[in-house]
């Protein structure tokens, strides 16, 4: 039976594939260790004013650094990289992208998954790093129906508590009120299938939670491990591949608690560079897969080919 969702997903997939250049051979990057297969698929990209990140930073130092890094101070166009893990009968998404209601250049994750032969009803588990729109709003389709009908959902307890607190809508900064309203509406629709985790918990077999608070009050990174192989899904704990690496101590306008987020970044960078841990960043260049390198005065992101 062809449902309205399947019909729209198929038609939309053709349009988005041609519009974005996403083809089955280029829609994803793949990692594998043991019986775990990891694909990084595109949800498109965002277009943001530079001030969204750069406004709190020391402008006299920022401008020459951006020029050196080849980054415009006016416009940011970060990619959106969604991680898919398959192991046995498990089909796990880490975040779900932004869906149709957030940004005109994003919301194509279903087309990217379709290129791998993965349908929404195949997803068994969804693990959230945090509840910002570009990570959460893809829960619903164009008709406001839940997409991942067979999935169980998992989120950090502190993140859930923050967004579901009725006072958050009144207390969050004005520019993010829509974030809170949108998060509460969507999370309420899946609350019966939601489970919670805390720092250090094994979220799923081989998947450990790492508290990376600051970008949001309960932001979590997730580390997938098997044997001596591992990869850390960063979410937005490291939110871009330029200034966040070069000057992790600088406060960023994208973070809800900039001081905590900066402390998190510095600690995380040090650990990742020291251990040579492979990472997947939601907004890092290319397909988001790479390593953190220590430099003379900061860090750099080394993307995998």
């Amino acid at each position: 039976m062809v449902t309205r969702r399947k019909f729209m997903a198929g038609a939309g997939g053709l349009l988005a594939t041609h519009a974005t250049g996403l083809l089955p051979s280029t829609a994803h990057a793949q990692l594998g260790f043991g019986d775990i297969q990891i694909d990084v698929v595109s949800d498109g990209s965002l277009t943001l004013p530079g001030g969204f990140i750069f406004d709190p930073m020391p402008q006299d130092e920022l401008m020459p650094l951006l020029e050196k890094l080849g980054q415009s101070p006016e416009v940011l166009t970060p990619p959106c990289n969604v991680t898919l893990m398959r192991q046995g009968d498990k089909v796990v998404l880490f975040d779900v992208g932004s869906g149709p209601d957030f940004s005109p250049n994003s919301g194509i994750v279903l087309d990217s998954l379709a290129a791998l032969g993965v349908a929404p009803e195949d997803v068994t588990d969804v693990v959230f790093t945090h509840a910002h729109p570009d990570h959460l709003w893809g829960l619903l389709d164009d008709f406001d129906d839940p997409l991942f009908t067979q999935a169980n959902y998992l989120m950090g307890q502190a993140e859930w508590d923050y967004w579901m607190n009725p006072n958050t809508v009144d207390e969050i900064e004005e520019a993010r009120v829509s974030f809170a309203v949108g998060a509460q509406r969507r999370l309420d629709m899946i609350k019966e299938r939601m489970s919670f985790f805390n720092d250090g918990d094994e979220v799923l077999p081989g998947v450990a939670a790492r508290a990376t608070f600051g970008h949001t009050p309960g932001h979590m990174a997730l580390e997938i491990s098997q044997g001596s192989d591992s990869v850390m899904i960063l979410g937005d704990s490291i939110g871009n591949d330029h200034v966040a690496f070069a000057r992790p101590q600088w406060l960023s306008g994208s973070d809800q608690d900039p001081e905590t987020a900066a402390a998190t970044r510095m600690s995380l960078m040090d650990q990742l560079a020291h251990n040579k841990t492979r990472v997947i960043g939601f907004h890092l260049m290319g397909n988001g897969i790479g390593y953190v390198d220590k430099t003379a005065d900061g860090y750099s992101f080394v993307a995998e080919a």
Side-chain angles (χ1 to χ4, degrees):
M1 178 179 179
V2 180
T3 65
R4 65 180 183 176
R5 182 182 298 118
K6 288 181 178 178
F7 176 81
M8 291 297 290
L14 291 174
L15 291 172
T17 296
H18 288 292
T20 62
L22 282 175
L23 299 172
S25 61
T26 59
H28 70 287
Q30 191 174 93
L31 303 174
F33 33 89
D35 64 343
I36 295 175
Q37 179 176 325
I38 297 169
D39 295 271
V40 183
V41 299
S42 177
D43 191 47
S45 63
L46 304 179
T47 302
L48 303 169
F52 179 69
I53 287 178
F54 301 140
D55 276 357
M57 298 179 179
Q59 299 298 302
D60 57 335
E61 298 178 59
L62 173 67
M63 292 308 168
L65 178 62
L66 292 180
E67 184 175 358
K68 177 182 175 183
L69 296 172
Q71 169 61 46
S72 165
E74 304 298 331
V75 180
L76 296 154
T77 56
C80 299
N81 304 304
V82 175
T83 301
L84 171 73
M85 182 183 87
R86 288 177 281 184
Q87 182 183 28
D89 60 356
K90 287 285 189 183
V91 179
V92 183
L93 276 179
F94 295 86
D95 296 330
V96 294
S98 64
D101 298 328
F102 183 59
S103 171
N105 300 325
S106 63
I108 64 167
V109 71
L110 293 187
D111 307 298
S112 297
L113 290 171
L116 301 178
V118 176
E121 57 267 27
D122 297 330
V123 176
T124 60
D125 302 271
V126 174
V127 184
F128 293 106
T129 62
H130 65 299
H132 274 169
D134 51 331
H135 298 253
L136 174 71
W137 286 15
L139 274 176
L140 307 179
D141 65 13
D142 291 339
F143 304 97
D144 265 5
D145 295 327
L147 271 169
F148 305 100
T149 55
Q150 305 303 307
N152 297 307
Y153 298 94
L154 302 100
M155 177 176 281
Q157 183 73 63
E159 186 74 356
W160 172 271
D161 290 346
Y162 173 75
W163 292 105
M164 294 305 285
N165 184 335
N167 296 325
T168 294
V169 174
D170 297 320
E171 295 172 355
I172 199 169
E173 65 181 282
E174 185 177 354
R176 300 180 197 256
V177 168
S178 64
F179 291 15
V181 173
Q184 287 185 8
R185 183 169 73 86
R186 288 164 176 82
L187 293 175
D188 189 64
M189 295 179 73
I190 58 170
K191 62 184 178 183
E192 301 303 324
R193 303 193 68 150
M194 180 69 74
S195 299
F196 306 103
F197 56 87
N198 294 293
D199 184 30
D201 286 352
E202 186 176 51
V203 176
L204 294 168
V207 181
R210 163 74 181 269
T212 46
F213 300 163
H215 182 68
T216 61
H219 189 287
M220 289 282 189
L222 290 307
E223 187 166 13
I224 303 172
S225 302
Q226 188 170 89
S228 60
D229 294 314
S230 68
V231 61
M232 184 175 287
I233 299 167
L234 298 172
D236 285 359
S237 56
I238 303 175
N240 62 73
D241 50 63
H242 36 83
V243 178
F245 282 83
R247 299 292 184 272
Q249 71 275 21
W250 284 0
L251 304 187
S252 171
S254 66
D255 297 324
Q256 290 187 226
D257 182 344
E259 290 81 5
T260 299
T264 292
R265 269 193 306 277
M266 289 188 288
S267 174
L268 195 55
M269 292 277 195
D270 185 62
Q271 175 198 332
L272 294 171
H274 182 267
N275 295 336
K276 303 298 181 187
T277 304
R278 179 184 269 155
V279 301
I280 301 172
F282 196 87
H283 294 306
L284 302 187
M285 71 174 73
N287 53 44
I289 304 173
Y291 297 87
V292 179
D293 254 7
K294 185 79 174 72
T295 66
D297 56 355
Y299 299 86
S300 65
F301 178 60
V302 181
E304 282 194 4

